[in-house]
Amino acid sequence: MRSKAFLLATSILAASAVGLSAQAQNAMNTIDELVVTAEKREQSLQDVPVAISAFTSQQRDLVGISTVQDLTNFTPGFVYQSSNDRASMRGIGRLTNVHSVDGAVSIYNDGLFTTSTVLAGSPPLDVERVEILRGPQGTLYGRNAIGGTVNTISVRPTKEPYAEVRGIIENFNFTNLQVAISGPIAEGLRMRFSGYKLDQKDGYYKNVTPGLPDEGALRDEYQFQVQFEADLGENAELWAAYRKLAWHNRGGPGARAGYRDDEFSTGRLDPNYSIVFASAHGLTKETGLNGIVPGSLKQFNGATSTSNPALVDNRTFSTNIPQRVRLSGVNLFTTNFVYRMPTFDVKYVGGYQEYKYDLYGDSDFTAVESYQIPLAPGSICGTVGGLFSAGLSPVNCTPLTVNANNGYHYFEYQKWYSHEINLSSTNDGPLQWIVGGFYYNQQYFGTGSTADFYLVGPSTLQTPILGAAANPQGFWSTGQYALTTESKAVFGQIDYQMTDSLKFTAGLRYTDDRKFGTEYRRIVCNSDVCYQSLYPALNLGAFGPGTAANWGSLLGDLNSVARLAPVFNPALAGLTGLGNGAMDLTDALAPKSNAGLIPGVSSPAITTNGVVRQYTIDPATGVASRNLDGSSDAITGTLGVQWEPDSDTMAYARYSRGYKAFGFSAGGFLAAPRADEETVNSYEIGFKKDFERFQVNLAAFFLDYRNLQAPILVRVGATKVTQFVNVDRSESYGVEFSGIWRPVDALRLTLDYGWNPTEITKSARFDNVNDNVNIGPVSIVGGSLPQAPEHKVAVNGTYTFELDGGNLIAGATYLQRSKSYATIFAREFDSAPAWDQVDLRAIWMPAGGKYTVIAYVKNLLDEDGYAAAVASAERNNNAAVPSDRFANGARNFELTPPRIYGVEVQYRF
């Protein structure tokens, strides 16, 4: 299919280039000098000794870049996981949503550091340009810029009155109305207002459960921004912006974006959290004791799916709890102030941001409501039930009915502010310099590596036994944390023009990071796992195992068992008052130490019989808590040489050292919560050249990467939790090419290509708990880094037809990306396959420039594309149950959108 796609794209370009002579070229389709601020001063992109991709609003309209994912298509080395808002560059990036571990690609909006890449995909009407710097930017962009930097610059207020309206209509019932108004409101004072309202009412994924809505890209979203820009005398300027936005059911981070390409694991116990009975067991094909009570399966809304619908159509699913994504309480304030001294500028960049993000959904991936577990021959439940029928028992017993309505809640509530002040030279001398200081403060409260899981409706989870605190919301796993992050830095960089053609660069940055806060954890169990050890401890072993097959509806009902004392044994009366419910495992699973204090945990030690506990459990809520505290610091910097033999040629060689702060596996309540800081040594050479009709940017790099903070799943009792481990040493190297060619005035061809092999070269061995075949620690040496496809290609061609009434630009894009992996284990079931895509675009620009009409098709051939690799889920490998025996993890895929077609109209007043 890739060869078909390539032939289609090239044939379209060839056809558009035949039959018309070259005529005057519209400015939208030329090779212009692009001014960027990659080194915190205005420079031509071709003069910056850094591998950088930059996209103006005009260029984005030309090729069809409307999302962050689109930006990655045209940026070598850049990968973005849309479903989780995770950016990676050259194999270094965010691999988790645990914010106690920082991202490795720093994100800046108008110079202000932020934690999300989403705003880089804001409409071109709002964004003047997006600059993507590849490789560590540890001097000028030091806040964890170990992989690279994405810098988004807003369109600023204009000195003349201006207004524009844009409307977009697409399939899937998509509409987007955008507006911008700008101009002077007083002498030396300018204002700009912009905003959009976006809706999509049909999702990319269909829920086959009757009465339930589609999901995936369902969007009810708005944003507005107000900017003010003031001239404060002859030497000072002030710019300030306030932005507000909100999402509901947004088709971005958190929303359904893919599918599971496997049959459900239908064992009785969930392989991920065996503290609850698996909802999918209600769909088992097994009979007898390995199955369910015949006729006991109930599904919501009359659902009939008995297997994974995605195996037939990968854009279908069956659940009963609709996924909801809500972003609220968003406030973003940013300000820039510049004062111009005779030979240098003083600049301040500061701001405050906050948001609340909530994600709700179905954690069992099925529409199963309930089922019953069969009783074993000779079970105590069967005996009690028989005695009750005969009038000889005060208590009845029936097969256990499992409430299979499992939901989850993931949330992030955070706010942060930062200040940066820098001084930069403005004279014309051979020595140019910039020095500055930076402070960042983030306060975060949210869930840990996964989410909080609960049963909807009444269940024994709400009333834990043995005197444990009540659990009215029915949570069976919660893990949350509140954390404050502080980062301080000073930095400086000098550029010295040794000769007309030779320039040297040197820079240093010192960064000090501290993180402190509290994590919270509670585990409540209502499966066979927890009762099998409890019942013998309560002297109930003589009645058989503490399982649902033996105890049925009496499982966990110790009060009712106590009432059986006159029937079986007077000693059972001692169980009176122990409760009817689930078993609280929080204390049993909490980490304890015989070797002193746990690094990174600052709670005081409580020692009992030589066992050290650094946590407390709230008797009212049953939640365990402990304090975390730690710090790290580093000196980073850069050394470089730049050669410019003429005004159209530049070559450079550069060394950069990057650093990412230490992190915590917060919310997991682990015995080793801290992961040490990361560092990277980057060696890069580059070449940039402007020919008469051809522009080329070429970079070759080698990254020596140390202490990658890799998330892996670890078992804690009957649960799985994400822990961050340090991978000793890795390598990432490659070549990146970006070229623009205009063989004739009307034809513009671009090629962006990245070749990026990666390898883990030294590491300890780790357990891959999603691999149920290779049990125990395995070597990861020789494997690839996560989210690092070896090849990425983007080819774009546009041809401008100059007609009597205006210009018509016809364009096509071909994209190709090779396989990548989601985890350090680089197993096939953690991979995203290679994929390609063809896009078409036509732009009508009438004379006068009042309006523009754009028609487009993305993913013309409706192929499956893979935004990024997604980690697999654990599977059962039950030797006793043939239908629940799987050799590998459950493959998860995140898909790019299906075929999208639409029309955009732009009107300028």
Side-chain angles (χ1 to χ4, degrees):
M1 184 58 70
R2 282 191 291 273
S3 60
K4 286 173 59 181
F6 183 75
L7 289 173
L8 176 59
T10 52
S11 64
I12 291 169
L13 297 178
S16 66
V18 175
L20 287 179
S21 60
Q23 301 189 41
Q25 176 68 19
N26 185 278
M28 194 178 191
N29 203 22
T30 59
I31 306 176
D32 292 328
E33 180 182 44
L34 178 58
V35 176
V36 297
T37 53
E39 296 199 309
K40 300 201 173 184
R41 63 173 80 236
E42 291 189 350
Q43 297 171 278
S44 168
L45 182 145
Q46 294 302 98
D47 292 335
V48 180
V50 173
I52 176 173
S53 297
F55 305 90
T56 65
S57 58
Q58 279 192 337
Q59 290 170 332
R60 290 176 62 191
D61 279 343
L62 179 66
V63 300
I65 296 175
S66 57
T67 66
V68 179
Q69 193 62 243
D70 292 335
L71 289 169
T72 72
N73 293 335
F74 293 91
T75 306
F78 187 24
V79 174
Y80 181 67
Q81 189 174 1
S82 304
S83 64
N84 290 311
D85 189 26
R86 301 175 186 174
S88 296
M89 210 90 73
R90 295 176 173 175
I92 302 176
R94 177 177 284 284
L95 303 176
T96 175
N97 278 37
V98 179
H99 283 252
S100 52
V101 173
D102 298 303
V105 176
S106 62
I107 313 298
Y108 287 83
N109 291 317
D110 295 306
L112 184 72
F113 178 85
T114 185
T115 61
S116 172
T117 320
V118 170
L119 291 179
S122 294
L125 184 64
D126 266 349
V127 177
E128 178 182 319
R129 69 183 180 276
V130 180
E131 302 172 359
I132 303 173
L133 288 67
R134 307 189 293 278
Q137 309 297 319
T139 304
L140 301 181
Y141 296 94
R143 176 73 190 134
N144 297 318
I146 189 170
T149 295
V150 178
N151 195 12
T152 303
I153 297 95
S154 297
V155 177
R156 298 301 171 92
T158 54
K159 294 183 178 180
E160 300 296 331
Y162 163 83
E164 183 171 351
V165 175
R166 298 186 178 190
I168 304 172
I169 298 175
E170 291 179 356
N171 56 329
F172 293 98
N173 210 353
F174 174 99
T175 59
N176 187 352
L177 179 63
Q178 306 169 14
V179 61
I181 303 170
S182 180
I185 56 176
E187 183 68 26
L189 180 62
R190 299 168 292 281
M191 184 273 288
R192 187 178 196 270
F193 172 85
S194 61
Y196 68 81
K197 179 64 176 73
L198 186 156
D199 293 280
Q200 181 169 323
K201 298 180 179 179
D202 297 335
Y204 298 153
Y205 299 86
K206 178 178 177 57
N207 194 341
V208 298
T209 302
L212 274 293
D214 295 349
E215 295 180 12
L218 288 177
R219 299 171 72 173
D220 176 2
E221 175 182 340
Y222 73 85
Q223 174 182 299
F224 68 82
Q225 184 181 42
V226 180
Q227 303 177 40
F228 293 94
E229 190 174 58
D231 300 324
L232 306 179
E234 294 183 357
N235 299 318
E237 292 179 1
L238 175 66
W239 172 85
Y242 170 75
R243 183 180 306 201
K244 182 81 174 178
L245 64 149
W247 307 337
H248 181 65
N249 282 343
R250 188 180 196 273
R256 187 176 299 276
Y259 70 102
R260 178 175 292 183
D261 187 33
D262 284 282
E263 284 282 4
F264 292 131
S265 188
T266 56
R268 184 173 297 171
L269 296 180
D270 189 302
N272 298 286
Y273 290 89
S274 54
I275 54 176
V276 290
F277 293 109
S279 300
H281 183 60
L283 306 177
T284 183
K285 298 177 177 62
E286 295 292 328
T287 59
L289 295 181
N290 288 326
I292 64 174
V293 173
S296 66
L297 172 62
K298 293 183 179 180
Q299 297 199 62
F300 285 94
N301 294 24
T304 58
S305 292
T306 57
S307 61
N308 182 5
L311 297 179
V312 177
D313 180 347
N314 61 13
R315 293 192 182 269
T316 61
F317 65 99
S318 178
T319 63
N320 61 279
I321 301 177
Q323 202 168 39
R324 292 187 294 127
V325 180
R326 182 168 180 81
L327 183 71
S328 60
V330 181
N331 294 284
L332 299 89
F333 175 75
T334 311
T335 184
N336 294 177
F337 173 77
V338 178
Y339 189 86
R340 295 183 176 85
M341 303 293 284
T343 58
F344 64 90
D345 286 348
V346 180
K347 185 174 183 179
Y348 167 79
V349 179
Y352 172 86
Q353 300 186 27
E354 63 180 356
Y355 71 79
K356 292 183 177 180
Y357 173 88
D358 291 277
L359 169 65
Y360 298 88
D362 196 321
S363 61
D364 59 70
F365 308 106
T366 75
V368 175
E369 180 178 359
S370 65
Y371 60 87
Q372 290 184 323
I373 295 177
L375 295 176
S379 68
I380 184 64
C381 181
T383 301
V384 171
L387 292 173
F388 179 82
S389 298
L392 300 177
S393 170
V395 174
N396 192 15
C397 189
T398 60
L400 178 68
T401 298
V402 173
N403 176 354
N405 194 7
N406 274 293
Y408 68 85
H409 178 208
Y410 172 88
F411 67 92
E412 299 177 1
Y413 303 157
Q414 70 167 320
K415 54 187 177 182
W416 67 95
Y417 61 89
S418 68
H419 308 282
E420 179 178 312
I421 187 166
N422 64 65
L423 289 73
S424 58
S425 60
T426 56
N427 58 45
D428 295 328
L431 179 67
Q432 298 296 315
W433 52 267
I434 180 171
V435 295
F438 173 80
Y439 176 78
Y440 173 80
N441 183 289
Q442 177 191 19
Q443 298 177 45
Y444 181 92
F445 178 57
T447 42
S449 59
T450 51
D452 291 340
F453 299 103
Y454 55 89
L455 277 178
V456 180
S459 75
T460 58
L461 286 169
Q462 298 171 327
T463 55
I465 58 176
L466 305 181
N471 182 26
Q473 295 175 300
F475 284 104
W476 45 269
S477 174
T478 61
Q480 304 172 2
Y481 63 98
L483 198 77
T484 296
T485 297
E486 285 187 330
S487 183
K488 307 169 187 176
V490 292
F491 60 88
Q493 181 170 304
I494 59 172
D495 296 286
Y496 185 70
Q497 193 76 44
M498 179 73 71
T499 67
D500 289 343
S501 60
L502 199 61
K503 180 193 292 186
F504 291 93
T505 298
L508 282 176
R509 185 183 189 103
Y510 173 73
T511 304
D512 179 81
D513 291 294
R514 183 190 175 201
K515 299 177 182 181
F516 57 93
T518 306
E519 64 174 341
Y520 308 90
R521 186 81 166 128
R522 191 179 191 190
I523 299 293
V524 182
C525 172
N526 72 336
S527 76
D528 291 348
V529 166
C530 42
Y531 299 115
Q532 291 203 61
S533 59
L534 173 67
Y535 276 46
L538 296 175
N539 295 316
L540 294 174
F543 293 96
T547 63
N550 185 45
W551 285 93
S553 59
L554 291 179
L555 189 69
D557 188 355
L558 300 180
N559 288 342
S560 293
V561 174
R563 293 174 59 201
L564 293 171
V567 180
F568 291 102
N569 189 329
L572 295 178
L575 301 177
T576 301
L578 295 185
N580 171 20
M583 185 175 176
D584 194 314
L585 298 182
T586 306
D587 185 59
L589 297 182
K592 303 165 184 66
S593 173
N594 295 314
L597 301 180
I598 297 175
V601 179
S602 58
S603 295
I606 302 172
T607 303
T608 305
N609 298 324
V611 177
V612 177
R613 291 173 169 82
Q614 287 181 265
Y615 63 89
T616 58
I617 296 179
D618 187 327
T621 64
V623 175
S625 64
R626 66 177 182 178
N627 296 328
L628 303 173
D629 199 339
S631 62
S632 64
D633 63 348
I635 295 176
T636 56
T638 187
L639 287 171
V641 60
Q642 184 174 343
W643 179 56
E644 297 182 87
D646 57 64
S647 60
D648 295 323
T649 307
M650 189 268 283
Y652 67 89
R654 195 152 187 155
Y655 162 79
S656 297
R657 181 170 176 82
Y659 150 81
K660 190 178 88 168
F662 82 103
F664 285 122
S665 305
F669 239 68
L670 290 163
R674 177 182 167 121
D676 291 335
E677 59 270 21
E678 296 181 358
T679 59
V680 67
N681 294 304
S682 171
Y683 308 89
E684 181 171 313
I685 57 174
F687 176 74
K688 301 184 180 185
K689 175 70 175 177
D690 287 323
F691 299 94
E692 182 178 355
R693 291 186 173 272
F694 184 53
Q695 182 183 92
V696 59
N697 287 353
L698 184 66
F701 62 90
F702 176 83
L703 304 179
D704 177 11
Y705 188 22
R706 308 291 180 97
N707 271 0
L708 159 64
Q709 297 164 359
I712 64 171
L713 290 173
V714 295
R715 291 189 178 93
V716 180
T719 68
K720 290 201 307 185
V721 181
T722 296
Q723 176 160 20
F724 291 90
V725 297
N726 288 112
V727 176
D728 295 332
R729 193 165 182 176
S730 309
E731 294 177 354
S732 175
Y733 56 93
V735 176
E736 297 166 344
F737 174 88
S738 294
I740 307 174
W741 182 35
R742 289 183 58 206
V744 295
D745 287 347
L747 182 62
R748 182 180 188 268
L749 300 172
T750 68
L751 171 64
D752 294 280
Y753 171 70
W755 175 62
N756 183 198
T758 63
E759 183 181 3
I760 295 171
T761 57
K762 181 182 179 183
S763 176
R765 298 164 70 91
F766 302 111
D767 284 328
N768 183 359
V769 301
N770 286 348
D771 186 342
N772 55 30
V773 176
N774 301 297
I775 307 300
V778 296
S779 174
I780 61 172
V781 172
S784 301
L785 287 171
Q787 308 299 358
E790 185 172 347
H791 300 281
K792 281 185 62 188
V793 180
V795 181
N796 175 262
T798 56
Y799 191 91
T800 300
F801 300 87
E802 187 174 87
L803 307 175
D804 291 340
N807 288 343
L808 175 64
I809 303 176
T813 298
Y814 174 70
L815 308 171
Q816 185 178 0
R817 189 177 301 186
S818 60
K819 176 187 290 189
S820 61
Y821 298 93
T823 73
I824 56 175
F825 296 104
R827 296 295 304 276
E828 187 64 26
F829 50 74
D830 287 329
S831 68
W835 60 278
D836 62 356
Q837 179 174 312
V838 174
D839 301 338
L840 300 180
R841 199 166 182 85
I843 304 173
W844 169 240
M845 306 178 69
K850 278 285 186 181
Y851 69 92
T852 302
V853 179
I854 304 173
Y856 55 90
V857 181
K858 288 188 174 183
N859 193 5
L860 174 69
L861 303 180
D862 202 20
E863 299 277 6
D864 286 343
Y866 303 90
V870 183
S872 69
E874 188 177 358
R875 310 301 301 275
N876 286 325
N877 194 13
N878 190 338
V881 183
S883 67
D884 205 46
R885 191 179 304 154
F886 301 92
N888 291 304
R891 290 167 60 93
N892 292 315
F893 293 120
E894 178 183 340
L895 298 181
T896 57
R899 182 188 296 118
I900 300 295
Y901 52 87
V903 175
E904 177 177 349
V905 178
Q906 306 173 359
Y907 187 83
R908 289 164 282 276
F909 296 90

